[in-house]
């Protein structure tokens, strides 16, 4: 047991050591070499921790305990389980890549050492958030991340747009902080503990969870958890600050979009064991996530600035993640979070290549593509209503039908589809088989590793099915609007294009509220 303890202690202490080195050697280039070496050691220890947990089991070490308000006992320490080590490995890898990129990006900048200090400060609290073993440490790290990001957003303090974006972010963050604090207070009131290990143990007690469901305790907690997560992950109506952060350096954007903004999803995954029966909580996530995904995707289609396109892409993708949490597909939400994190870091760190890709001609939505995708999608929706024995809930089948609507963008005419299948029948068949195999492997094998962390007895119920059908209708309406936006010859289409180009005028309204006369 001493081996994982040393790794855990290193994971927590090395970022702090990097921060201390940043303050001490802030006037020397040697600092960057030392800190980069520490990033490599950090990543190596994170991968070792990942292997240990998946090959053995999760573990927890308590450094000390404290008693507050005479009855509240909290064990301060580190918790390494399947969820934390997967997210930690992603964060450490992205941290290393962004740090290495930043060395060249800020070469010659006299204020670069201030960036590296704030960067390491933020990463330290991200690591603390992921490894926290109780909700009090989680909240302190949550607030520390917000403070560190605020300082990074103000790297250019003389730029008015940067200050405006930072002020918007500060306001939204306080809403999220207050909501999370209320959720933590309610959690202690109902469960008499703030330690994650005890909360997970309670979630596996069927008698306790039945009482929780009957007394609707989880619904009260779920509402505030949802608000905190939606605010942290820039979901509607808290999304308006993210597209305004164009004045920040590229490494800050990469860190924010690839890592920090996923904290809202991580919050939901951490609370998922005790919110399994919170129907209203899951409904909120599904509906708001669905609306945000459609709205942000339509806005992204009209943007000409690459950073705004990527910002609305992030908002839309996190909307999909909220839908996945809302239908109980927590493992896939985690997978989506990781995949999106790597993709978005690559997008920001290789913006020139993204600009070249944007010059390629865009494919318009074809009528055949719509008919084909809706035919396949409705097939899965019918299965959702009639399946009983399959190991998926009905809402998840409807969500698969929603995802299949993406084929409208891929499939052109009927001749193109037939030509593609005839030209590469072997590759087309292999792609289909591999895709289905990976899906089934992830669902039945990988998900087993998370069965103790994520609740497996999620019942979508009639309310969740109705909300998912509503999302399907919402996506269908979004496809209709997307087709209108592409038809620039229509006068109504131009009005719709202008509306979404302005982000529904929400950024402009928020700017008037936050600007100081």
């Amino acid at each position: 047991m001493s081996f994982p303890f040393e790794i855990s202690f290193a994971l927590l202490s090395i970022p702090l050591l990097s921060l201390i080195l940043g303050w001490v050697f802030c006037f020397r280039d040697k600092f960057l070499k030392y800190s980069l070496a520490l990033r490599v050691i950090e990543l190596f220890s994170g991968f070792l921790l990942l292997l240990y947990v998946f090959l053995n089991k999760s573990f927890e070490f308590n450094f000390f305990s404290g008693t507050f308000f005479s009855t509240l006992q909290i064990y301060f320490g580190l918790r390494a389980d399947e969820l934390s080590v997967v997210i930690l490995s992603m964060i450490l890898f992205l941290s290393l890549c962004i740090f290495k990129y930043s060395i060249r990006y800020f070469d010659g900048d006299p204020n670069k050492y201030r960036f590296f200090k704030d960067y390491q400060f933020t990463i330290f609290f991200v690591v603390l958030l992921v490894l926290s073993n109780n909700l009090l440490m989680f909240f302190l790290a949550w607030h520390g991340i917000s403070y560190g990001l605020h300082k990074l957003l103000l790297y250019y303090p003389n730029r008015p747009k940067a200050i405006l974006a930072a002020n918007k972010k500060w306001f939204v963050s306080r809403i999220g902080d207050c909501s999370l604090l209320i959720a933590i207070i309610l959690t202690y009131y109902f469960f008499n503990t703030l330690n994650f290990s005890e909360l997970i143990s309670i979630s596996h007690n069927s008698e306790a969870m039945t009482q929780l469901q009957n007394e609707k305790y989880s619904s009260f907690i779920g509402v505030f958890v949802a608000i905190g997560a939606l605010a942290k992950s820039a979901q509607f109506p808290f999304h308006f600050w993210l597209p305004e952060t164009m004045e920040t350096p590229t490494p800050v954007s990469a860190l924010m979009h690839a890592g920090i903004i996923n904290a809202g999803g991580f919050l939901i995954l951490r609370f998922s064991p005790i919110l399994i029966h919170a129907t209203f909580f899951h409904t909120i996530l599904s509906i708001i996530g669905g609306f945000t995904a459609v709205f942000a995707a339509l806005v992204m289609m009209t943007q000409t600035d690459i950073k705004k396109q990527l910002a609305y892409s992030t908002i839309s993708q996190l909307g999909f993640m909220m839908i996945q949490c809302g239908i109980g597909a927590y493992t896939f939400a985690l997978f989506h979070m990781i995949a999106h994190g790597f993709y978005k870091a690559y997008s920001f760190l290789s913006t020139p290549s993204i600009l070249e890709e944007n010059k390629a001609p865009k494919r318009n939505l074809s009528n055949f593509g719509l008919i084909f995708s809706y035919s396949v999608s409705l097939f899965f929706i019918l299965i959702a209503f009639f399946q009983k024995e399959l190991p998926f809930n009905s809402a998840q089948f409807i969500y698969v039908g929603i995802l299949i609507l993406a084929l409208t963008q891929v499939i052109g005419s009927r001749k193109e589809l037939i030509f593609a299948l005839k030209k590469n029948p072997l590759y087309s068949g292999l792609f289909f088989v591999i895709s289905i195999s990976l899906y089934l492997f992830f669902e039945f094998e990988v998900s087993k590793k998370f069965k103790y962390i994520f609740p497996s007895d999620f019942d979508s119920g009639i309310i969740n099915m109705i909300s998912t059908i509503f999302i399907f209708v919402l996506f269908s309406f979004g496809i209709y609007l997307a087709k209108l936006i592409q038809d620039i010859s229509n006068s109504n289409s131009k009005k719709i294009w202008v509306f979404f180009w302005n982000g529904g005028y929400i950024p402009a309204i928020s700017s008037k509220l936050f600007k100081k006369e």
Side-chain angles (χ1 to χ4, degrees):
M1 277 295 182
S2 60
F3 176 67
F5 173 79
E6 293 173 358
I7 295 178
S8 302
F9 186 76
L11 288 172
L12 189 61
S13 62
I14 288 178
L16 180 60
L17 180 60
S18 301
L19 181 63
I20 295 173
L21 287 174
W23 286 93
V24 174
F25 299 105
C26 63
F27 55 90
R28 295 182 182 179
D29 285 335
K30 289 183 178 180
F31 153 68
L32 300 180
K33 297 179 181 179
Y34 295 154
S35 190
L36 184 61
L38 289 171
R39 297 269 85 81
V40 175
I41 296 172
E42 221 175 40
L43 178 62
F44 181 70
S45 61
F47 283 150
L48 287 178
L49 186 60
L50 176 70
L51 288 173
Y52 180 85
V53 170
F54 272 84
L55 293 177
N56 295 278
K57 61 179 181 179
S58 61
F59 62 92
E60 181 176 338
F61 287 97
N62 301 313
F63 299 125
F64 63 92
S65 62
T67 303
F68 305 89
F69 307 110
S70 69
T71 57
L72 175 58
Q73 186 174 17
I74 299 179
Y75 300 95
F76 293 91
L78 302 175
R79 176 178 176 81
D81 56 25
E82 290 79 4
L83 173 61
S84 61
V85 295
V86 168
I87 295 296
L88 181 68
S89 299
M90 179 192 75
I91 291 295
L92 294 179
F93 182 80
L94 293 177
S95 171
L96 172 62
C97 295
I98 297 172
F99 191 93
K100 192 174 186 301
Y101 176 90
S102 302
I103 293 176
R104 178 169 293 185
Y105 182 90
F106 288 101
D107 189 27
D109 191 329
N111 297 319
K112 63 180 179 180
Y113 298 110
R114 177 164 56 86
F115 163 80
F116 286 111
K117 288 191 295 184
D118 295 338
Y119 176 83
Q120 291 174 113
F121 177 88
T122 307
I123 292 297
F124 169 78
F125 280 104
V126 172
V127 173
L128 184 63
L129 178 85
V130 173
L131 292 178
S132 297
N133 71 336
N134 65 80
L135 282 170
L136 182 58
M137 286 179 62
F138 188 97
F139 179 76
L140 294 175
W142 177 278
H143 190 71
I145 293 171
S146 180
Y147 177 72
L149 180 59
H150 186 78
K151 294 184 70 176
L152 289 172
L153 291 176
L154 291 175
Y155 180 76
Y156 299 117
N158 297 324
R159 297 184 178 181
K161 289 185 178 180
I163 297 173
L164 180 62
N167 290 337
K168 290 181 180 182
K169 171 66 174 67
W170 185 92
F171 175 76
V172 172
S173 295
R174 298 296 75 76
I175 295 176
D177 291 348
C178 292
S179 299
L180 177 58
L181 183 60
I182 294 173
I184 291 173
I185 293 172
L186 290 175
T187 300
Y188 173 70
Y189 180 77
F190 293 139
F191 293 96
N192 200 33
T193 183
L194 295 180
N195 299 310
F196 287 130
S197 58
E198 295 178 3
L199 291 173
I200 294 175
S201 297
I202 292 174
S203 71
H204 288 273
N205 186 332
S206 57
E207 183 179 346
M209 293 305 293
T210 302
Q211 182 181 2
L212 183 69
Q213 181 182 15
N214 293 335
E215 299 185 15
K216 306 298 181 183
Y217 289 162
S218 57
S219 296
F220 290 104
I221 301 173
V223 169
F224 292 102
V225 170
I227 295 173
L230 295 172
K232 198 71 169 182
S233 293
Q235 297 294 283
F236 185 89
F238 307 111
H239 69 285
F240 53 84
W241 64 271
L242 188 61
E244 304 290 313
T245 58
M246 295 186 297
E247 298 286 337
T248 59
T250 298
V252 177
S253 298
L255 174 66
M256 180 169 57
H257 288 258
I260 293 177
I261 205 165
N262 289 319
F266 185 75
L267 171 66
I268 295 173
L269 296 179
R270 266 292 177 229
F271 269 91
S272 62
I274 61 172
L275 296 180
I276 182 63
H277 297 302
T279 304
F280 186 60
F281 162 73
H282 290 94
T283 305
I284 290 175
L285 293 180
S286 297
I287 294 178
I288 295 182
F291 178 82
T292 304
V294 173
F295 176 78
L298 291 171
V299 175
M300 183 190 69
M301 289 179 60
T302 62
Q303 299 304 305
T304 54
D305 185 279
I306 185 64
K307 273 198 170 184
K308 278 196 173 183
Q309 285 184 352
L310 291 174
Y312 279 107
S313 169
T314 297
I315 295 169
S316 180
Q317 288 298 316
L318 291 178
F320 278 99
M321 187 185 68
M322 293 298 169
I323 299 174
Q324 292 162 352
C325 292
I327 62 176
Y330 296 110
T331 309
F332 281 97
L334 174 62
F335 178 76
H336 191 130
M337 187 190 305
I338 296 170
H340 175 260
F342 283 116
Y343 162 72
K344 202 49 63 80
Y346 165 79
S347 298
F348 274 99
L349 299 183
S350 58
T351 305
S353 63
I354 300 297
L355 289 171
E356 289 298 321
E357 291 176 11
N358 273 4
K359 294 179 181 179
K362 301 295 188 296
R363 181 194 292 272
N364 290 332
L365 301 178
S366 66
N367 292 328
F368 175 77
L370 288 170
I371 294 172
F372 181 85
S373 60
Y374 270 94
S375 300
V376 180
S377 179
L378 290 174
F379 171 74
F380 278 90
I381 292 176
L382 288 174
I383 294 177
F385 283 100
F386 295 104
Q387 68 90 17
K388 292 183 179 179
E389 303 298 330
L390 294 176
F392 308 98
N393 65 58
S394 300
Q396 291 177 5
F397 264 104
I398 300 174
Y399 178 69
V400 172
I402 293 173
L403 293 181
I404 290 173
L405 294 180
L407 292 174
T408 56
Q409 184 66 25
V410 178
I411 298 175
S413 64
R414 181 173 61 88
K415 292 182 179 179
E416 288 179 356
L417 178 62
I418 295 173
F419 176 77
L421 293 175
K422 285 184 176 180
K423 185 178 180 180
N424 296 304
L426 179 61
Y427 291 129
S428 300
L430 284 176
F431 177 78
F432 178 78
V433 172
I434 292 173
S435 299
I436 297 297
S437 300
L438 285 174
Y439 175 83
L440 294 175
F441 173 76
F442 197 87
E443 176 65 27
F444 295 107
E445 295 299 326
V446 179
S447 297
K448 292 179 182 178
K449 295 292 183 180
F450 298 91
K451 63 181 180 180
Y452 188 74
I453 304 297
F454 299 146
S456 57
D457 56 342
F458 179 83
D459 182 13
S460 59
I462 187 65
I463 296 178
N464 285 96
M465 280 191 64
I466 293 173
S467 64
T468 315
I469 294 173
F470 172 77
I471 295 170
F472 178 83
V473 175
L474 193 64
F475 271 78
S476 300
F477 183 65
I479 292 174
Y480 169 74
L481 291 177
K483 199 168 176 59
L484 281 180
I485 290 173
Q486 291 179 340
D487 184 16
I488 58 175
S489 61
N490 191 324
S491 59
N492 291 327
S493 298
K494 291 180 180 179
K495 294 179 181 178
I496 295 172
W497 190 93
V498 171
F499 175 80
F500 285 109
W501 184 79
N502 286 285
Y505 301 102
I506 296 174
I509 295 172
S510 64
S511 295
K512 289 182 179 179
L513 296 175
F514 285 92
K515 275 184 179 178
K516 295 181 179 179
E517 301 296 338

